[in-house]
Amino acid sequence: MPFDTSMPLDKLPPHNTNAEDSVIGSVLIDSAVLKEFADILLPEDFYTDSARCAYTAMLSLRERGVGINQVTVNQELERTDNKLGPYLSHTINAVPTSLDAYHYATIVHRLSVNRRLITVGNQIQKIGYTADPDLDASLAAADQLVVQLRRQGGSQEIIGPQERAEQLYDRYEKLSRGEMDPSIPTGFYDLDHQLGGGFFGGQLIIMGADSGLGKSTLAQSIAINQSHNGNVLFISGEMPVDTLSDKEVASLTRRDVLDIVSGRYDDELLTDIQNALGVISTRNVYY
């Protein structure tokens, strides 16, 4: 994402040249550290041209299976008409060890996301100033910018192997002491077994089946079961709230949904519907 030049000129965008130089220097000292963040840290995450060009050269060498060191990186840069020999020497002298390479990469990545966030903010501001009569279109455009930012920048920082091991140790300790719920059950025993105990935080679970097999009904039932553990937001792109609610009332009254939507209620069914609505009003499910 190119940086927006509409940013105030009296304030530089977030960046840390020391961290950028340290990433380059760390890889030159020990190219093995590159694998810890090469798939996450992109050339455009660097603020300075020198660091960006050097990192691009490193990725190019890595892709071709060529060893990465000061000589090979310098040759790769010269091949693309970049003269950065003194800069490479500076980065090696600037960092004493490569042990903290992933930490420096995390800083560079985070500040890059911050710069993109400023750019998105300026773009959303422009959308607001256009005062488009179609408010939904304006909000959709703003939402899309934020979604793109999340896809490009990610919401998680780079985690190195040692830090990941420490986080896992803390997590398993809490699980063993009962301080964390291992999962959120769906309310269906066989399904929980297939899922390894239920739903876990951060997971994306996609349910697919042919039309008419009850996907929405199953998803709604899971949402209702999970509402005992906290608030649940249920969104359907297939059915309106009224249709979903009719199915829920039919389940609670143990009647056919056609009886619920017919409007022909005898006293018994009307009482059952009123009781069902009382139950629905206490469920922590939002539509």
Side-chain angles (χ1 to χ4, degrees):
M1 181 185 297
F3 192 71
D4 195 339
T5 56
S6 65
M7 187 173 297
L9 298 179
D10 60 342
K11 188 174 183 179
L12 289 175
H15 67 284
N16 188 322
T17 55
N18 290 332
E20 295 188 3
D21 293 348
S22 295
V23 170
I24 302 301
S26 296
V27 178
L28 291 176
I29 293 174
D30 181 8
S31 62
V33 300
L34 183 58
K35 68 176 180 294
E36 297 183 11
F37 48 80
D39 295 332
I40 301 175
L41 188 64
L42 305 176
E44 54 265 33
D45 288 333
F46 290 85
Y47 180 76
T48 63
D49 291 336
S50 298
R52 188 184 311 112
C53 291
Y55 189 71
T56 300
M58 291 174 172
L59 294 181
S60 178
L61 292 171
R62 179 175 183 262
E63 184 177 355
R64 303 202 307 268
V66 179
I68 300 173
N69 53 55
Q70 187 174 0
V71 174
T72 58
V73 172
N74 192 46
Q75 289 178 338
E76 180 71 13
L77 288 168
E78 290 180 348
R79 191 175 68 85
T80 55
D81 295 327
N82 287 295
K83 309 295 184 180
L84 295 178
Y87 170 73
L88 298 180
S89 298
H90 159 71
T91 61
I92 293 178
N93 295 327
V95 58
T97 175
S98 63
L99 294 178
D100 294 323
Y102 77 88
H103 173 68
Y104 300 134
T106 297
I107 295 174
V108 175
H109 176 74
R110 173 174 55 81
L111 294 177
S112 172
V113 174
N114 287 335
R115 294 195 298 273
R116 294 173 185 172
L117 183 60
I118 294 172
T119 298
V120 168
N122 288 330
Q123 292 172 338
I124 292 176
Q125 186 181 53
K126 290 178 181 179
I127 293 174
Y129 274 115
T130 60
D132 191 328
D134 189 344
L135 180 59
D136 289 338
S138 296
L139 292 175
D143 285 341
Q144 185 62 29
L145 289 172
V146 176
V147 169
Q148 290 176 352
L149 175 63
R150 287 188 176 277
R151 289 175 178 172
Q152 294 173 358
S155 58
Q156 296 182 344
E157 295 184 344
I158 300 170
I159 301 177
Q162 182 176 356
E163 183 181 0
R164 184 161 61 93
E166 292 173 353
Q167 291 180 357
L168 287 172
Y169 179 82
D170 291 340
R171 175 169 173 262
Y172 295 147
E173 277 284 293
K174 291 179 180 178
L175 284 171
S176 67
R177 294 195 298 264
E179 297 178 6
M180 290 179 59
D181 292 330
S183 64
I184 301 176
T186 66
F188 297 94
Y189 178 81
D190 290 340
L191 180 58
D192 287 339
H193 179 72
Q194 292 295 325
L195 295 173
F199 290 161
F200 295 84
Q203 288 185 329
L204 171 63
I205 298 176
I206 299 176
M207 178 170 54
D210 291 336
S211 300
L213 292 183
K215 297 186 298 296
S216 296
T217 300
L218 175 59
Q220 186 180 26
S221 298
I222 293 173
I224 292 171
N225 292 337
Q226 291 189 341
S227 69
H228 299 296
N229 301 303
N231 295 334
V232 175
L233 175 62
F234 188 88
I235 300 174
S236 173
E238 180 184 10
M239 299 181 185
V241 175
D242 286 346
T243 301
L244 292 168
S245 299
D246 291 337
K247 290 177 174 290
E248 187 174 359
V249 171
S251 175
L252 288 169
T253 59
R254 298 184 179 182
R255 299 292 188 100
D256 192 289
V257 70
L258 294 178
D259 294 334
I260 304 302
V261 300
S262 69
R264 297 186 293 273
Y265 310 139
D266 54 29
D267 291 341
E268 181 181 358
L269 178 54
L270 185 59
T271 300
D272 289 342
I273 290 176
Q274 291 173 341
N275 292 334
L277 298 182
V279 174
I280 290 174
S281 68
T282 63
R283 288 175 169 171
N284 298 318
V285 183
Y286 296 78
Y287 290 83

